[in-house]
Structures are given as structure tokens and as C-alpha cells.
Amino acid sequence: MSQFLRRRQSVIRLTLATCVIAALAIWSLAGARDSAPGDVSIAVTQEESDAIRVVYELAKPRREIIFGELASGHRERRWRPVNDGFKILRLDTEDRLVRKDGKKFRSVEVIAQPDLIRLPKEYQPLARYGEDGLLFYTGHFWPMTGRGGRVNATFDFAPAEGNAVIAFGERTQTLIQWRSPMAHPAFVYLGPLDAIETDHVMALIDPKAPDWIQSEFAALTPAVFAELTRLFGFSLPSKPNLFLAAPLGRDAGRLSYAGDALPGQFQITLEGAAWREPTAKARRIFRRSTAHEAVHLWQAVARPSVESFAAWVHEGAADAIAAEILIGLSIWDETDARVDLDRAKTECKKGLKNGSLASAEERGDYRAIYTCGHLIAETVAQTEEQPVSAFWREFIDLAQNRNGYTEALFYELVERRTGDDRLPRAIQRFVGTDHPDPAAAIDRLLAASGSSAADLRVGEGVDRP
């Protein structure tokens, strides 16, 4: 049985955890290069091995550095304080770097290494990327305030000898007092590779990726971006970064695609020896998943106004809009899209047997977030007799005028576009209720839209990601 993983790890990243699209504080200080120091200066040095040395310099002495939640006790296992007398204290919702004696400090140094296991539905803090390269995610090294925002911080990056640092298309020997131009956590590469610039992306592709993957990406990306520009009615404000890693391994039966999207960036990791050959199934997974991650780049033009946002809103829509893209490019036909939606119905029913959609992230049921969200997006579209992308065009405009979007704004727009509150109330019940009979719950949702269960019959004999 092949494995198919997709990630926020679309944090929206959710942070899924939350997913890509996670809302963070945005400061007027933010910029790609800024000489003004932050409240915390973070110096990142690539060691000759896989290790990264991270030095935190605080503008004022403090008793702790607070970090956001990270699953599986990662920091305890893969971070090691270099200074005597320091420890990482793991709490339920955060980690803290503290002195054992409780005293204040202004500087502390840690050694961090890539995890030996993939964190579930989470951005990888540090990942091996090709020969002698590492991909660094600033979000998990960026301290938090006590109120849940991000500390005003700058990063210095120094790659190992002979390597370079690449971020948002810039390749240089060092980055000093750097802030992401997106005012948001970002991926930064340290290693020997050069970026490949096309009309649509600045790409960093693992040389170990099979030739057919590289050719597929080169052909697919411009077509997908052009279709997204048409569907949303605007192009991206800047050329995005793409990072594609291919640590395939030897598992001949594995076909794993992990995707992470951030404002202005998306990252793909392919695992499993089954990727070596361009089978029909491998092409289907690569095309659908890459289209899904690309949708997040457009969705991220507007961001959630709160970090604990209902990820089914954007993840389900990204699945639905990915199908619209593939149909528009004649890669799929209507039958392919129907089978994909049938698959979503089947997996949503399975997920709702374990609890409500509202609690799916808490219990780690990420497939329910994607698939039930897909059904909701399609239900709204069927009611309006318009594509899901049309709803999101208006949703992005509305969110930009409201300083970000919330789940309540989603329901508000559904009511505005459908003309009454029956459908948004039905969706709220569907999302927040534990359903003893998930199939009946889906039927009730469809009935509220004027659809029927027959509209989403389960397809037979077709294997889709």
C-alpha cells in the first residue's frame, strides 16, 4: 500500500498544524534587509556535519526564551544547549529555554540537528536537502512573546565553507540582520546548490530528483500558475520560491508527497523508491498535490487574523481548486474530478466516525480536515452554481479589507452569496457536531445546499491520491 502524505505542513501548515497560512504579527520593521537590530538577534551557523549552531542574543536580560508548540518532543531530542546550566523545558503548548537556576540571561547557544523521523503535520525545523545541504525553517527557531505573537527578531546566516545561503531568490555567502520580506516565517537553504530561475518561480531542486520529476515540474508549473492567475484574477506580488527535495530511499512500495506552503514559498519532499519511475499513479499524485500547494500561494495573499484558525476552510478549498486547475488544463476530465470528490466523501465519513470536524486537528485526523473541507467547499459551490475559486476571489478581497479572515467571516460570506443563513448554519452544525452516523450527516449537509447524496456517489475501480 503506497503512502501519501501532504503537509502544513498546508500549516496552513494549520500550524497545521495550522497550516501555511498561519497568522503572525506583522511589524513595520519587517524587510528583506534591515540594519535596525531586533529585540532578539539569532545567529545561524551551518556546521560541517548536519548540525546547525544557533546563538540567541537578547537586547534585554530575560529568564526564558519561549518557542511555539512542536510535536514529538522535538526540541528536547534534537536541540542541545551548549552553555552549562541551561535546559529546554517542555510544556503542553510551548517549549522554553531557561537557566536551571532561574536567573536572567542575555545570550545562549544551542546545537540543532535534523530529526530522524518526520514530524506529523508539521514544518520540519531542519531537514537534509541534497548533498551537504540543509533547509532551515525560521518559524520553529523564532521566539514567541508571552501573548502568542512573534518577538521582533533578526537572523544572521553563515553556511559551511564552500556553501551559500539562499532565501527568496538571493544567493549569497552570508545574510546579516535578515528579516523575511513576507514578515512571516520562511524557509532558508544552506548548501552548495544554485537556484534555477524561470518566468514563474525561483526553484531549488535536489539533483537526486528523477529526471521525469524535473521535467514534469518544468512543464506543470507555468501552466498551473497561469491557470491560477486566471481563476483568481491576479498574479502573485512576487516570484515565489520552490524547494523540491527527493530523499527517495529504498522502499519500493512507497510513494509519499509532503508539501509545505508559506507566503511566497512552497516546499515539496518526495520519499519512496516508487518515485523513480513515471507511473500513472506517480504522475497523478505529483500533479494534484503540486496544484494543491500552488493554490496556497494565492490563498496566502490574505491571511487568517488568528493563528488557531479552522484549517478545513483553506485546505478543503485548495483540494477543490486543484481539481478546477487540472480540469482547466485538460489534465483531468469531469470523471476524474467526480472520482476525486467521491474519494473525499468516503474519507470524510471515516474521519467523522472518530469525532467532529472541529476537533479533527486536535486528534491528529488531518485527512478529515482536507476531505470534509473539500465537501464543504463543493457544497457551497453547488449552491451558488459557481466554482470554488470564485468564492475565494471574493473571500480574499473581503479578508484584505477586514485585516485577515476568520471562520466567522467564511460563514458571513456564504450567507451573503447564498442569500440566507440556512447553509452557513448547516455547515456550522456539520463542523461542530459529533456525528453518530457520518453518512447521514453528509446527506443533511448536501440537502441544505439543494444537492443530494446521489450527487456524490462513491466511484469504483479508480485509484486517486
Side-chain angles (χ1 to χ4, degrees), residues 322-334:
E324 292 177 17
I325 293 167
L326 296 175
I327 291 173
L329 297 177
S330 298
I331 294 172
W332 277 11
D333 58 22
E334 292 293 343

Side-chain angles (χ1 to χ4, degrees), residues 3 29 34 124 143 154 165 172 230 301 308 326 357 401 427 431 446:
Q3 300 180 31
L29 292 170
D34 191 334
Q124 296 300 111
T154 61
V165 54
T172 182
R230 185 186 71 81
V301 170
S308 56
L326 296 175
L357 178 55
N401 292 328
I427 296 172
V431 170
L446 296 174

Side-chain angles (χ1 to χ4, degrees), residues 56 67 179 183 188 199 227 235 267 294 302 320 354 373 376 404-405 407 444 465:
Y56 292 90
F67 298 97
R179 293 181 173 97
V188 177
D199 291 341
E227 186 67 4
S235 55
Q267 187 273 329
N354 301 316
I376 292 171
Y405 58 83
E407 188 175 356
R444 287 192 295 272

